[in-house]
Amino acid sequence: MNRRLLALLCVMPALASALALPSEEPVPGGIKIIRLPASANSAAQTPATPPDVDADGHRALVIQDGSDWIAIVGIPLSAPVGTRAVTIKGGSGDRTVEFSVGPKEYPTQSLSVPPAQVNLSKQDLARFEREKARIDRVLNRWTDSQPDDLLFDAPVPGVRSSSYGSRRVFNGEARNPHTGMDIAAPSGTAVFAPAGGVVVDTGDYFFNGNTVFIDHGRGFLSMYCHLSAVDVKPGQRIAAGTRIGAVGMTGRATGPHLHWGLSLNHAWVDPALFVRSRK
Ligand code: ZN
């Protein structure tokens, strides 16, 4: 039995209590953990009904902890430093919980790629726009099942870069910052689902190459890019540890690696916060 499956079995008897939590880091690209005591929730909440926590128009992940709930709120990388708020909806009225977002400096990374991958042709730009809308639809999904894990092994062994958040300069031109973790590994290395869920989309994207999206429940989704092979199909329910594909360098990549993205409430957050053995 592999380690991921064993980890899943170990948490199964304790589903009514909180899962092991990711590392809290209330900065742009990080997460804020907010405890919602049952006594503070509206009478409309039952132990089986998660409170509806709104983070900038997107429903936030909540997990059960006995009779209480815990919200795990993704903070977009573009969020300004300062006060931020979520709204807990329902019952006798909405309630706002404020929290502070602190500063975090991210490095600048300069990369060289073929010019057509930086200044897109009209045709490629149209393709990119279509794909962006498709990714938005995936990240907007809400499935009301609690994720089976929030702290897990990286999907592939290899050197994990700390490039999440890097400001990206391609061929000398500033582009969008990096919103995932890159893990360097030889082409063909198996990629495993770090947590269970449902495969919600696969496809060949202009920048991301061959990509798999997994819905882990309650607005928590993951993305695996630049794959050389995709071994799962949309609609497929998979357990933690299922092989989903293989490392490659399809799309815009300077070498074989896995780009791993984690999204909470439609915000790409730093996957390092969710990796069990952080090095
Ligand atoms: Zn990447």
Side-chain angles (χ1 to χ4, degrees), residues 25-98:
E25 195 178 8
V27 298
I31 56 172
K32 176 67 185 178
I33 296 175
I34 302 170
R35 185 166 279 276
L36 306 167
S39 56
N41 293 336
S42 77
Q45 306 293 351
T46 67
T49 309
D52 184 342
V53 177
D54 181 280
D56 279 325
H58 300 286
R59 196 166 175 181
L61 169 64
V62 284
I63 60 166
Q64 195 160 19
D65 180 24
S67 58
D68 295 347
W69 295 89
I70 297 170
I72 297 150
V73 181
I75 304 169
L77 187 56
S78 58
V81 167
T83 303
R84 205 166 176 83
V86 292
T87 304
I88 301 149
K89 294 178 166 179
S92 49
D94 294 352
R95 189 164 63 92
T96 298
V97 176
E98 291 190 338

Side-chain angles (χ1 to χ4, degrees), residues 64-231:
Q64 195 160 19
D65 180 24
S67 58
D68 295 347
W69 295 89
I70 297 170
I72 297 150
V73 181
I75 304 169
L77 187 56
S78 58
V81 167
T83 303
R84 205 166 176 83
V86 292
T87 304
I88 301 149
K89 294 178 166 179
S92 49
D94 294 352
R95 189 164 63 92
T96 298
V97 176
E98 291 190 338
F99 60 95
S100 293
V101 175
K104 181 160 182 176
E105 278 299 314
Y106 290 108
T108 298
Q109 199 177 26
S110 294
L111 298 157
S112 295
V113 295
Q117 293 183 345
V118 179
N119 293 307
L120 308 195
S121 68
K122 208 173 156 189
Q123 196 181 10
D124 287 343
L125 193 60
R127 177 182 167 189
F128 166 73
E129 294 294 345
R130 281 196 306 275
E131 292 177 353
K132 189 167 175 290
R134 182 169 158 186
I135 294 171
D136 270 348
R137 283 197 297 276
V138 169
L139 300 188
N140 273 327
R141 286 176 62 93
W142 179 266
T143 315
D144 196 14
S145 59
Q146 177 162 304
D148 58 30
D149 216 348
L150 290 174
L151 205 53
F152 28 71
D153 296 330
V156 69
V159 178
R160 299 201 293 269
S161 80
S162 54
S163 65
Y164 176 92
S166 301
R167 287 184 290 264
R168 286 258 164 114
V169 179
F170 286 98
N171 302 352
E173 298 192 41
R175 288 294 181 268
N176 287 336
H178 190 233
T179 51
M181 176 191 279
D182 288 342
I183 306 174
S187 268
T189 306
V191 176
F192 299 102
V198 176
V199 176
V200 289
D201 196 12
T202 64
D204 176 15
Y205 288 79
F206 183 77
F207 286 125
N208 295 337
N210 293 323
T211 298
V212 171
F213 288 91
I214 303 173
D215 182 355
H216 302 287
R218 293 189 186 155
F220 181 37
L221 290 109
S222 60
M223 176 174 78
Y224 308 81
C225 304
H226 310 306
L227 302 172
S228 58
V230 171
D231 299 332

